[in-house]
Amino acid sequence: MNNNTRNPEDTVLIVENLCVDFYVKGKLVHILSDISFTLDRGETLGIIGESGCGKSMTALALMRMVPSPPGMIRAGRVVLNGEDLVKVSEKRIRDVRGSKISMIFQEPMTSLNPVYTVGNQIAETIRRHNNSSRSQAFEEAMDLLRMVQIPAPERRLREYPHQLSGGMRQRVMIAIALACEPDVLIADEPTTALDVTVQAQIFDLLKEIQDIRGTCIILITHDFGAVAEMADRVIVMYAGHKIEEGKLDEVSSGARHPYTQGLLRCMPEIQTDPKENREPLPEIPGTVPDLLRGLEGCPFAPRCSFAMPKCQQLPDYFDLGYKRSVKCWLIQEDVKVKKQA
């Protein structure tokens, strides 16, 4: 479906001005600042950026799993099917987690409980949300293992996480996340530490499940290649800010923020001629800023070759069309040049 023809009824998730703060060493630190986006039924949104830019914290905030203390959701709304998850009670959010919105965590070996069998861990989720009997839950767990293409599911149900390969453990995590057919599935680096073949299998599996169930997927990654494989739209984050958003082809072929352009330049290309002398991949100079020290102005300015005096102020979001925005003063300068021309 063309994004421009979607109906308001297609919108499953609305995130508005989400802000997360942490108290660290007696200081109030802004971890997420003014994050806003929407997600439509059957759509995949990629969230990309370097480590420490706020991707995983965004996912935890959507699930209302920000550790408190020291963290808190200071402001904003997370509206899932008309219900603001920021305002609901603790009992209600426990009912919603796993049933309406689920998450595939980054490292299955540490996310799965080592002292319980795979079957017990899947069945627990089913029984918690569906009030199924033990036998019914284990039957559904076996069906889920078949769906995520784990061979010999009858045997795997009785095995422990350490007895499975990395790819199988990740499939078990997907099975747990999908146990109650959630409307939104958050995949936080779902292919970390997996080899390329298994990564491709996991992505194919997620796309197949999405086609069957119409699930919305939020894919969190630092790899633009993974985003290109899966996503319809992309959000680029830096130092807790959303700095660019757009459809995949708009961002990959016409990135407007210098940070996004730098990420794309860092992507390696397949070398067709082994004798060809290849130039070293360019790097983005510097490092992600330390949020403990506080930020003034554009957070990317110290690393940006286009920085100008105005970058001492935090940029506005410049709307460039349908779900297309960039947080950079260069966009304002471009608009001025076009008007003068």
Side-chain angles (χ1 to χ4, degrees):
M1 184 187 296
N2 187 306
N3 283 345
N4 293 319
T5 63
R6 290 183 185 271
N7 298 317
E9 292 79 11
D10 293 324
T11 301
V12 174
L13 180 69
I14 302 171
V15 179
E16 289 183 349
N17 308 117
L18 185 63
C19 300
V20 172
D21 292 348
F22 269 61
Y23 280 99
V24 183
K25 298 179 181 179
K27 284 186 174 183
L28 185 65
V29 181
H30 302 312
I31 302 297
L32 292 182
S33 301
D34 196 27
I35 304 299
S36 299
F37 60 86
T38 62
L39 191 61
D40 294 338
R41 191 169 309 282
E43 184 180 30
T44 299
L45 174 68
I47 301 181
I48 191 167
E50 292 172 275
S51 296
C53 69
K55 307 185 301 297
S56 294
M57 188 56 63
T58 300
L60 292 176
L62 298 183
M63 299 279 289
R64 224 175 85 181
M65 292 175 64
V66 174
S68 177
M72 63 175 178
I73 298 176
R74 173 170 51 85
R77 302 169 70 224
V78 178
V79 181
L80 178 61
N81 291 325
E83 185 174 28
D84 188 353
L85 302 186
V86 174
K87 294 182 178 179
V88 299
S89 66
E90 284 295 329
K91 181 182 183 301
R92 176 57 183 160
I93 196 65
R94 286 196 295 270
D95 291 337
V96 169
R97 282 192 215 114
S99 60
K100 302 299 183 184
I101 180 168
S102 290
M103 187 167 174
I104 306 169
F105 291 94
Q106 191 169 135
E107 178 44 64
M109 195 60 202
T110 56
S111 300
L112 293 170
N113 193 319
V115 301
Y116 288 99
T117 64
V118 164
N120 272 316
Q121 295 186 62
I122 302 174
E124 178 188 16
T125 301
I126 296 169
R127 296 187 71 187
R128 167 67 178 80
H129 293 288
N130 294 349
N131 296 318
S132 303
S133 67
R134 179 178 172 81
S135 60
Q136 287 175 327
F138 271 85
E139 283 296 322
E140 291 179 41
M142 194 178 303
D143 290 340
L144 284 163
L145 290 185
R146 289 194 187 99
M147 183 185 70
V148 297
Q149 301 168 14
I150 288 183
E154 301 87 351
R155 177 161 58 90
R156 301 300 181 189
L157 275 178
R158 299 189 295 272
E159 293 185 339
Y160 293 86
H162 73 271
Q163 295 176 281
L164 306 182
S165 68
M168 282 191 182
R169 287 194 294 266
Q170 194 62 279
R171 290 170 190 268
V172 170
M173 288 295 300
I174 294 172
I176 292 172
L178 293 172
C180 299
E181 301 189 12
D183 296 312
V184 177
L185 176 65
I186 303 171
D188 187 3
E189 301 278 7
T191 57
T192 297
L194 300 180
D195 63 54
V196 176
T197 302
V198 178
Q199 286 183 32
Q201 292 172 353
I202 295 296
F203 286 144
D204 288 344
L205 174 61
L206 289 174
K207 285 188 282 190
E208 182 180 340
I209 291 167
Q210 184 178 51
D211 289 341
I212 294 170
R213 296 186 172 184
T215 309
C216 306
I217 295 177
I218 298 176
L219 175 65
I220 295 173
T221 181
H222 61 271
D223 180 5
F224 239 117
V227 167
E229 178 75 19
M230 285 286 297
D232 301 303
R233 286 191 299 118
V234 181
I235 285 176
V236 182
M237 291 190 65
Y238 186 79
H241 294 261
K242 182 187 79 171
I243 60 170
E244 185 156 4
E245 179 182 12
K247 289 188 287 187
L248 176 63
D249 56 349
E250 291 174 334
V251 175
S252 59
S253 63
R256 302 294 300 276
H257 197 285
Y259 178 65
T260 312
Q261 294 168 359
L263 289 179
L264 288 167
R265 284 196 299 269
C266 292
M267 287 182 62
E269 297 179 356
I270 297 175
Q271 189 171 358
T272 55
D273 183 359
K275 296 181 181 180
E276 178 185 351
N277 291 324
R278 176 180 290 180
E279 293 292 326
L281 285 173
E283 298 179 358
I284 301 175
T287 58
V288 176
D290 182 358
L291 297 181
L292 275 173
R293 298 181 178 179
L295 297 176
E296 293 184 5
C298 174
F300 187 63
R303 306 174 68 185
C304 182
S305 57
F306 300 99
M308 50 189 170
K310 192 164 189 177
C311 296
Q312 295 176 9
Q313 306 171 41
L314 185 66
D316 297 326
Y317 282 113
F318 294 98
D319 188 355
L320 303 180
Y322 181 78
K323 294 186 180 182
R324 179 81 173 105
S325 64
V326 181
K327 192 172 189 175
C328 180
W329 290 122
L330 286 173
I331 304 302
Q332 187 182 56
E333 295 303 310
D334 289 347
V335 171
K336 285 181 181 177
V337 170
K338 287 179 182 176
K339 284 182 178 179
Q340 289 172 0

